[in-house]
Amino acid sequence: MLYGIEEEGVPYLYQGKTGNSAIELGYQAALDSTLGVGIGIGDDSQMILHYTKLPKEQPLFQLSAASQDQQNVLGANAARLVKGIPFKSFEEIHSAEEETLISEEISTIVKEVLRRIRERM
């Protein structure tokens, strides 16, 4: 998650707190932040991205058992909220297996294009 924030070039402060739910931690982090944005991670691995202008019970993003890629997108989206630019989509995340399939498809297409070019020579 921190990688996603760093990738966007926005400063952050990490503070470890325990004893509250992810929504409470995220909301309190947003209130404590001079930028108005906070992320809370609960004991149940739930992750909340909150913004001070939203009601406590209505976080901007909420993830459960998030993958590393999803955590990076959440961090990037926290930074993008600060920067005022569009959010990254969680839908565009591919698993390692999907990435392999995509790479294989690209390889097949490139080989076919090269074969056709050679035929024309």
Side-chain angles (χ1 to χ4, degrees):
M1 173 184 38
L2 298 178
Y3 176 75
I5 297 170
E6 290 173 356
E7 185 178 72
E8 295 294 329
V10 173
Y12 65 89
L13 172 65
Y14 172 83
Q15 293 181 324
K17 293 185 180 182
T18 59
N20 296 319
S21 70
I23 202 160
E24 289 176 15
L25 290 168
Y27 187 70
Q28 190 59 50
L31 292 176
D32 292 346
S33 170
T34 56
L35 301 174
V37 177
I39 296 175
I41 303 171
D43 292 335
D44 59 356
S45 299
Q46 186 174 25
M47 301 177 81
I48 298 291
L49 171 56
H50 226 306
Y51 186 50
T52 56
K53 295 183 181 183
L54 295 175
K56 180 179 179 180
E57 299 302 321
Q58 294 179 358
L60 190 55
F61 292 107
Q62 184 171 349
L63 300 174
S64 296
S67 69
Q68 185 64 49
D69 287 337
Q70 290 173 319
Q71 291 177 34
N72 289 341
V73 170
L74 186 72
N77 284 344
R80 285 171 172 239
L81 178 58
V82 170
K83 292 167 67 173
I85 62 174
F87 296 125
K88 287 187 172 186
S89 171
F90 290 95
E91 306 302 320
E92 295 173 9
I93 298 172
H94 301 290
S95 68
E97 183 176 306
E98 288 173 321
E99 289 294 333
T100 300
L101 288 174
I102 291 169
S103 294
E104 289 173 0
E105 289 171 2
I106 291 171
S107 177
T108 301
I109 292 168
V110 169
K111 286 176 185 176
E112 180 63 21
V113 168
L114 291 173
R115 184 187 67 76
R116 290 182 183 187
I117 290 172
R118 280 188 218 116
E119 285 178 356
R120 290 183 180 180
M121 295 179 141

